[in-house]
Amino acid sequence: MSDRVRLAALAGLTIAGVGLVVAVSLKRIGTPLSSSLVPAFEVIGTPLKSLNHLVTKVIPIDDIDEKDYGDVYRAHYQVEVPADDPDLVYLDDLMKHLSEYARKPFPYRAFPVDGDEPNAMALPGGVLLVTRGLLRNLGSEAELVSVLGHEMGHVEQGHCVDAVRFELLARKIGARPFGEIADFGLRILTSHSFSKNQEDEADQFGYTLLVNSPFDPRGSGRAFRSLLQYEKRLESGQRARGADPFRDYFSSHPPLELREAAFRERAEAWWRGHPGQQRRVGRQNLVDRISTYTRAEPDSAAGSDGVPLTGGAR
């Protein structure tokens, strides 16, 4: 091939590349739900820097234990969310029992935060954040337990603390007041997307927790279905998208359709192998914010909300 032909080919590729970039820019291709421009702390809460003695201590990054993060985040959200908040009381009751399935010795706790989007997020040290929009858009307590188990999986697998440490070290942040480090960590995680392998690991942890719990394993696939239904409502214009400080649940995770189908099939296979089992769904429990562990409703032949379900019940 002559030099003239090579130059012509290179010029053609360059022009094509520029054209593709221009086309993408003009079409404004993005995620299914665009990222919010609202600052994270506007919804998540005030910065952590003045909470307690620990946050004022100057600590090198390498000396920080994951438990330190959890202690600070828990103290922060205990101030942000009133102790008698019905959503908090409900989540506390669930987490008290779900923590039994964790291996790490953290006092796991889930806090409700304002936000219309159905979203959840894990922080280092066993702190989970759940938007009130998630509580409104899921269909049952079994679905909620699946999501909580997924977020616990990120903590149990070390995904959260590893992401924070990596980013802080990459930015060469050395010895700083711990409150400043914790603020950095929270900002990192609100915009951080876990890898597909990490999401798969968290999915597997959540599903295994559901299988080992009193809840219907179908809650996992049905949680993804509820999120899909929410996404379709957005696309049809039935609901306006609100401000969401978390990473976009729909764009940062593997496709919801694939996850819904995969875990629906796994749950159906589980039921075929356990036809006499009784499991709980808890639709009314979620509506009333009273957990199955506190109020187990009486049996019903129809398999209605909150009652034990067998393999044949839907």
Side-chain angles (χ1 to χ4, degrees):
M1 184 183 292
S2 67
D3 292 342
R4 181 175 297 177
V5 173
R6 289 194 185 92
L7 288 173
L10 180 60
L13 289 173
T14 301
I15 293 171
V18 171
L20 180 61
V21 170
V22 171
V24 169
S25 300
L26 290 175
K27 290 183 73 65
R28 302 189 180 204
I29 295 174
T31 60
L33 297 179
S34 58
S35 298
S36 170
L37 297 179
V38 177
F41 287 123
E42 186 172 322
V43 176
I44 290 181
T46 56
L48 309 168
K49 296 174 184 175
S50 60
L51 270 176
N52 55 33
H53 176 66
L54 176 61
V55 300
T56 64
K57 291 176 62 177
V58 176
I59 303 177
I61 296 297
D62 292 339
D63 292 344
I64 296 176
D65 186 84
E66 184 174 3
K67 182 179 181 299
D68 294 336
Y69 281 109
D71 290 344
V72 169
Y73 291 137
R74 268 185 297 277
H76 174 63
Y77 288 106
Q78 284 169 186
V79 173
E80 289 286 313
V81 184
D84 60 351
D85 184 302
D87 290 342
L88 178 62
V89 173
Y90 176 56
L91 290 169
D92 276 345
D93 193 18
L94 283 175
M95 292 307 302
K96 178 175 65 177
H97 295 87
L98 299 183
S99 296
E100 297 174 2
Y101 303 101
R103 296 184 297 270
K104 290 191 174 183
F106 304 132
Y108 273 90
R109 198 166 184 198
F111 293 92
V113 294
D114 293 335
D116 292 331
E117 299 294 308
N119 232 326
M121 176 178 163
L123 299 176
V127 175
L128 313 181
L129 303 181
V130 174
T131 62
R132 299 185 195 273
L134 181 73
L135 298 176
R136 288 193 295 269
N137 282 280
L138 292 180
S140 71
E141 193 166 86
E143 294 180 28
L144 175 59
V145 168
S146 173
V147 174
L148 293 172
H150 174 97
E151 299 303 330
M152 286 176 64
H154 281 308
V155 178
E156 289 290 307
Q157 303 288 342
H159 301 160
C160 304
V161 69
D162 287 348
V164 172
R165 286 186 186 278
F166 178 82
E167 288 292 335
L168 292 176
L169 291 171
R171 300 181 192 193
K172 298 181 179 179
I173 296 176
R176 298 284 185 91
F178 187 53
E180 185 176 339
I181 295 172
D183 279 343
F184 270 119
L186 187 52
R187 285 197 292 271
I188 288 166
L189 287 171
T190 56
S191 59
H192 174 76
S193 295
F194 293 118
S195 70
K196 185 178 183 301
N197 285 341
Q198 290 174 324
E199 292 298 347
D200 287 341
E201 289 176 354
D203 279 349
Q204 298 302 326
F205 185 93
Y207 178 77
T208 300
L209 184 153
L210 201 61
V211 167
N212 290 327
S213 77
F215 294 95
D216 184 353
R218 286 176 293 220
S220 183
R222 287 172 176 171
F224 296 132
R225 185 176 65 187
S226 292
L227 294 173
L228 274 170
Q229 290 171 344
Y230 176 85
E231 186 179 33
K232 290 175 181 177
R233 290 197 297 272
L234 287 178
E235 292 173 351
S236 65
Q238 294 178 15
R239 286 193 60 175
R241 183 173 188 270
D244 180 12
F246 297 160
R247 60 184 184 276
D248 188 344
Y249 200 99
F250 299 100
S251 66
S252 67
H253 292 57
L256 291 171
E257 293 88 349
L258 298 181
R259 297 161 84 190
E260 188 275 333
F263 284 96
R264 171 168 38 85
E265 292 172 2
R266 287 187 64 177
E268 289 172 354
W270 185 92
W271 274 116
R272 287 193 295 270
H274 302 79
Q277 284 266 346
Q278 291 188 331
R279 291 301 181 102
R280 292 190 171 274
V281 173
R283 296 186 183 90
Q284 194 61 42
N285 292 96
L286 176 61
V287 172
D288 295 340
R289 303 294 196 267
I290 301 175
S291 86
T292 291
Y293 298 104
T294 295
R295 184 188 69 189
E297 297 185 6
D299 292 351
S300 167
S304 61
D305 299 343
V307 306
L309 293 183
T310 63
R314 297 291 174 183

